[in-house]
Amino acid sequence: MENTIYTVLLALHNIALVGCVAGPFYMGRIVSARVKHEKKIIYPMDSLMEDVITSQPVICWLMIIVLYATGIGFPAVHLFFHGQLKETSTIALAAFWVKQALVLGIVAILFFGTFFINPRLKELFVRFKDGEQPDPDNEKEFFRLRALRRKWCDR
């Protein structure tokens, strides 16, 4: 039973890891492709991009929660079946804390993009209409924020 639970946790953990990493990777590819075009609103393309890019953080938040839950699940399973936590080496503990620091860095970047950059981009994009010339100041601010989001996501 212990091995079955551990295997399920490991499978969920790996799926969440891939999901958490793959989403931003593909979003980065979309953004890199868009940068090759002029800094003018191409409404259908930009509308699709913003829909896809701003929906991705929800999935990434879910994957991070699954990563933490399954990560806590590994020692919890051992504790449940053996009555004590598994002994680990100093190197394993150091690796654990380095991993936690890196994940918190990812969380900080995701938090900044989700709650600061994306809402402002949505607010600006609502002002653009298909077939109409956008206000130059809004368009400039829109592309400035996109560049900032790209810079943060490329870290």
Side-chain angles (χ1 to χ4, degrees), residues 8 16-17 21 24 34 47-48 57 70 75 83 89 99 101 116 138 147 153-154:
V8 169
L17 179 62
V21 172
R34 175 60 174 99
S47 177
L48 176 64
T70 56
S89 68
K99 183 172 80 170
F116 291 96
N138 287 340
C153 292
D154 284 345

Side-chain angles (χ1 to χ4, degrees), residues 56-124:
Q56 177 59 35
V58 174
I59 297 167
C60 205
W61 281 114
L62 177 64
M63 295 297 144
I64 288 173
I65 290 166
V66 171
L67 279 171
Y68 269 108
T70 56
I72 291 168
F74 296 129
V77 167
H78 193 274
L79 178 64
F80 178 76
F81 282 97
H82 301 279
Q84 64 184 13
L85 291 174
K86 196 175 192 177
E87 288 189 35
T88 58
S89 68
T90 305
I91 292 173
L93 282 175
F96 171 79
W97 288 111
V98 167
K99 183 172 80 170
Q100 295 307 308
L102 292 173
V103 169
L104 287 175
I106 291 169
V107 168
I109 291 169
L110 183 60
F111 183 85
F112 185 70
T114 302
F115 298 108
F116 291 96
I117 297 175
N118 285 347
R120 182 70 179 126
L121 280 167
K122 282 183 179 182
E123 178 185 313
L124 285 168

